Amino acid sequence: GAGVSQSPSNKVTEKGKDVELRCDPISGHTALYWYRQSLGQGLEFLIYFQGNSAPDKSGLPSDRFSAERTGGSVSTLTIQRTQQEDSAVYLCASSLSYGQFSGNTIYFGEGSWLTVV
Amino acid sequence: QQPVQSPQAVILREGEDAVINCSSSKALYSVHWYRQKHGEAPVFLMILLKGGEQKGHEKISASFNEKKQQSSLYLTASQLSYSGTYFCGTEAGGTSYGKLTFGQGTILTVHP
C-alpha cells in the first residue's frame, strides 16, 4: 500500500477484554515496529520484527502483550485482559530493511487509539 | 536506554532559530529525527549515520558527534508550520541494531 495502515483507528474496550490491533506495512518493507505513546508522552518501544521473527521483545510491558507477524507482512498486536493503564496510541512503523548502518527511513502509521474503560 | 533530549520545550517567534539536542549513553550507529503534530503520526525529518552520511530534507540540518554520542537538530528561520513535538530516535549497536529507541520529545511552539 501507499503507507502504513493500522486498524482499528479507534477502539474503546471494557477492562478485562482482549483486543487485537492490526498493522499492514508498506509493501516490500521487511522491518516492522510497534510503539506505544501515552497522552503527552514519548514513543515507547514495544517490539520489532525482522521478517517474521522478533529479535527483541524486551519492550513488551507484560505477558498480557504479544505480537506476531505472518508472511513477512501483516502484524497483529494482542493485548489480553486489558487494563486502564493500557490506554494509549499504538503506533506501527515499517522500513525497507534492517541491520547495522541500515539508515532506512521508518514510516509510521496513523496509530490505533485504545481506550480501556 | 532511552536517549535524552533537551530542552523539553521551546517557544519561538517566527523567524527565530532553535537547536534541539539528543544524547545517548550508548555507542550509536544512527540517529533519526521526527516531528509529530498533535493527533498525527510522527513524520520523518532526517537520518544521520555513523561515518557522516545524512539523509533528509534540504531545509533541515543536523549534526552527529559520534565520539560524544550526541546529535543536534538545527531549525533556522522558524515558520509556524515548525510547531510540534520533535523526537530523536537512536539505533545502538550489538544486539540492539535495527531497534530505534526514542527520546521523550521536545515541544516546539512558534508564534506569529
Side-chain angles (χ1 to χ4, degrees), chain A residues 31-116:
Chain A
L32 185 147
Y33 310 79
W34 283 100
Y35 290 89
R36 180 170 70 174
Q37 188 172 33
S38 300
L39 188 63
Q41 299 298 309
L43 299 161
E44 177 189 3
F45 170 83
L46 298 179
I47 189 172
Y48 83 105
F49 290 89
Q50 297 175 358
N52 290 333
S53 63
D56 189 339
K57 302 179 182 178
S58 63
L60 293 176
S62 72
D63 59 7
R64 296 187 294 106
F65 287 72
S66 63
E68 65 174 14
R69 189 180 186 192
T70 56
S73 181
V74 173
S75 175
T76 303
L77 177 68
T78 302
I79 309 172
Q80 295 179 311
R81 305 181 301 282
T82 52
Q83 303 294 314
Q84 288 186 331
E85 60 264 28
D86 299 335
S87 296
V89 179
Y90 289 83
L91 290 162
C92 177
S94 70
S95 67
L96 188 61
S97 65
Y98 52 82
Q100 289 180 346
F101 308 112
S102 59
N104 291 293
T105 301
I106 294 176
Y107 296 90
F108 283 86
E110 295 292 325
S112 289
W113 296 65
L114 176 66
T115 303
V116 182

Side-chain angles (χ1 to χ4, degrees), chain B residues 35-49:
Chain B
R35 178 173 60 214
Q36 184 180 33
K37 294 188 179 287
H38 183 68
E40 299 180 6
V43 173
F44 166 77
L45 295 177
M46 174 164 283
I47 290 176
L48 301 103
L49 304 176

Side-chain angles (χ1 to χ4, degrees), chain B residues 3-55:
Chain B
V4 176
Q5 288 184 232
S6 63
Q8 291 185 328
V10 184
I11 300 175
L12 299 174
R13 294 276 182 200
E14 261 188 305
E16 291 181 339
D17 302 339
V19 179
I20 300 173
N21 301 301
C22 174
S23 64
S24 174
S25 59
K26 291 187 173 184
L28 301 176
Y29 286 115
S30 66
V31 179
H32 304 229
W33 287 95
Y34 285 79
R35 178 173 60 214
Q36 184 180 33
K37 294 188 179 287
H38 183 68
E40 299 180 6
V43 173
F44 166 77
L45 295 177
M46 174 164 283
I47 290 176
L48 301 103
L49 304 176
K50 185 177 180 179
E53 185 179 357
Q54 296 186 6
K55 304 178 187 179

